[in-house]
Amino acid sequence: IVQLLWRRRERILLVLAAADPEDELKVFKTALEVAKQLRLANFYDPRDPRNSLDILFEEFKSNPEQRYMHVGISYCYENPGALTKPAHLFIVKNRLPPSLAGSVRPLVRHREVHGGKLAQDGSDDEDEAEEEDEVQEELEEALGELETPDLGSFGCCDCCHVKGLNCGPKFPHGTFTGYLYLSPHWCSSLMRLGFEVSGEAIAAVSSTTPSVHQWERDIT
């Protein structure tokens, strides 16, 4: 994010993909400290700037259903003493909310990516739903009792998950092998997770009326 802070961006969306299964946010906190050391920006809780950011981080850690964090940015070093326009940093993290930790879902399909439009062969939604049911049945038979959080990260193909090789850190916190290879269902599950958890943050950062609290309006 430092490069974007150099350019004084007013809205930043950060996808935090560091290996951090305990939500300690060490990499993110380091980035904020670097930005302050470079005198690029200061950061605050947009609900109340008197609060420590540690409170905001602790709330995020304690609520696994929370989809994103919102941190305020102040470019106060540029013109000390002058009022600055509020800027906003929205953070999405690769963690699995309990509400999404169900059975492994079918592989992401071309038609699904394109928003459920009719296939070129003329099949309708009912045909598509029936086909999805068949795919899910085949999947459940193959993966047995496995749920999404059970997927191991060392496999290079789906058979690894069911043939005694379902080892390694579990979904969605993989390891260095993720830079080299992913099993199809690990990759597909990661796509679905990214889509599900990023929606609210994308809506917030792209809104024509950004989330500005009353105290921010009063000083600008």
Side-chain angles (χ1 to χ4, degrees):
I1 64 173
V2 171
Q3 293 88 346
L4 295 174
L5 294 171
W6 275 112
R7 285 144 57 183
R8 304 295 191 267
R9 298 295 88 189
E10 294 182 3
R11 302 188 199 182
I12 299 175
L13 175 63
L14 171 65
V15 179
L16 190 60
D20 182 21
E22 302 301 325
D23 293 332
E24 296 177 347
L25 305 172
K26 290 182 179 180
V27 173
F28 177 58
K29 293 175 182 177
T30 298
L32 299 188
E33 285 301 318
V34 169
K36 288 192 286 186
Q37 291 171 10
L38 292 172
R39 298 180 65 82
L40 295 178
N42 193 31
F43 305 91
Y44 59 88
D45 183 342
R47 300 168 301 183
D48 187 338
R50 296 170 296 182
N51 291 340
S52 168
L53 278 179
D54 290 338
I55 295 176
L56 189 148
F57 298 150
E58 290 167 3
E59 289 176 351
F60 180 76
K61 182 175 182 176
S62 65
N63 180 11
E65 286 293 343
Q66 185 175 334
R67 302 302 172 91
Y68 71 95
M69 286 185 292
H70 179 194
V71 173
I73 303 172
S74 173
Y75 294 112
C76 55
Y77 298 107
E78 188 173 27
N79 190 6
L83 294 178
T84 59
K85 185 177 181 180
H88 305 273
L89 172 61
F90 299 90
I91 305 98
V92 177
K93 187 177 181 296
N94 66 325
R95 65 176 185 172
L96 184 65
S99 60
L100 299 179
S103 301
V104 179
R105 297 180 61 189
L107 297 175
V108 173
R109 304 176 64 198
H110 180 275
R111 186 174 186 275
E112 186 177 1
V113 173
H114 282 264
K117 296 180 180 179
L118 290 177
Q120 292 183 357
D121 62 4
S123 59
D124 57 23
D125 290 338
E126 185 175 346
D127 293 336
E128 184 71 13
E130 184 177 342
E131 186 176 350
E132 287 287 352
D133 290 341
E134 294 176 358
V135 171
Q136 182 64 32
E137 289 176 4
E138 294 176 1
L139 174 65
E140 291 175 354
E141 182 178 352
L143 296 182
E145 300 297 324
L146 279 182
E147 294 191 343
T148 302
D150 299 325
L151 293 175
S153 56
F154 286 171
C156 59
C157 61
D158 285 335
C159 63
C160 294
H161 298 307
V162 294
K163 299 296 184 181
L165 298 175
N166 189 46
C167 48
K170 298 302 186 278
F171 186 88
H173 305 288
T175 182
F176 69 94
T177 57
Y179 294 103
L180 305 175
Y181 54 82
L182 298 169
S183 73
H185 271 98
W186 178 287
C187 182
S188 178
S189 297
L190 202 58
M191 294 179 198
R192 292 187 183 280
L193 175 62
F195 179 81
E196 293 287 348
V197 301
S198 64
E200 293 180 14
I202 292 173
V205 75
S206 59
S207 172
T208 56
T209 55
S211 177
V212 177
H213 292 78
Q214 185 60 47
W215 71 265
E216 292 178 300
R217 296 190 183 95
D218 291 341
I219 66 172
T220 55

